Amino acid sequence: MDHTSHHTANHAAQEKEGQDNSGHIAAGGASWGTAMQATLHCLTGCAIGEILGMVIGTALSWGNVPTIVLAIVLAFLFGYSFTLYAVRKAGLSLKAAVRVALAADTVSIAVMELVDNLIVALTPGAMDAQLSDGLFWAALLGGFAVAFLITVPLNRWMIGRGRGHAVVHAYH
């Protein structure tokens, strides 16, 4: 049986989706699925850190600015920690893993934090809402959703150019 035509068609389909034969991201593009996975990875860390920061700041009766600063710092910390864990598990030294995490996640986390915090800040009453208020959670979760929608195409573009989460794929 001749597998040449099947291989060629399969390779063409993968290239169209931005993958090479091994399933890795090709230099010219990235699939939407890959970009969504990368964005969900970052968003998970961001959400954990940001929610934890909001809870801590609110529980300590801090003002809006210190609470938001804590939430952003924790969002970056948790966002980076997910990548650090994965690449350390793959055998990278801590120094190399930190470099990979910074390269993989910084732009994605920064954009998500900017968008999410803008949504919360621009939602009337959200900055004064308490953790028990539906408005607080609606603004925060709505901000995460909008941040996700904006960051997916950005991550797709970066991965397609060998940047962002593309640097992590070598360690999967």
Side-chain angles (χ1 to χ4, degrees), residues 41 45 74-86 101 105 109:
H41 170 91
L74 290 177
F76 273 93
L77 182 69
F78 277 88
Y80 288 140
S81 69
F82 282 18
T83 299
L84 278 171
Y85 176 77
D105 296 332
I109 295 171

Side-chain angles (χ1 to χ4, degrees), residues 128-169:
D128 297 321
Q130 297 296 311
L131 293 175
S132 59
D133 294 336
L135 177 61
F136 169 83
W137 293 103
L140 188 62
L141 296 176
F144 288 149
V146 173
F148 177 81
L149 293 174
I150 290 172
T151 308
V152 168
L154 172 66
N155 278 334
R156 183 175 186 250
W157 181 83
M158 289 191 318
I159 292 167
R161 279 144 191 82
R163 302 190 187 285
H165 259 267
V167 299
V168 174
H169 289 279

Side-chain angles (χ1 to χ4, degrees), residues 44-135:
T44 302
C46 285
I48 291 169
E50 191 160 329
I51 291 169
L52 183 60
M54 295 289 188
V55 169
I56 291 170
T58 302
L60 296 175
S61 299
W62 288 0
N64 290 336
V65 173
T67 299
I68 290 172
V69 169
L70 176 63
I72 291 170
V73 168
L74 290 177
F76 273 93
L77 182 69
F78 277 88
Y80 288 140
S81 69
F82 282 18
T83 299
L84 278 171
Y85 176 77
V87 295
R88 287 282 291 151
K89 191 174 175 184
L92 260 62
S93 69
L94 180 59
K95 185 177 180 179
V98 167
R99 277 191 245 141
V100 168
L102 290 172
D105 296 332
T106 300
V107 173
S108 183
I109 295 171
V111 169
M112 280 192 273
E113 285 303 298
L114 176 68
V115 171
D116 177 54
N117 282 291
L118 266 172
I119 299 288
V120 172
L122 295 175
T123 301
M127 295 298 289
D128 297 321
Q130 297 296 311
L131 293 175
S132 59
D133 294 336
L135 177 61

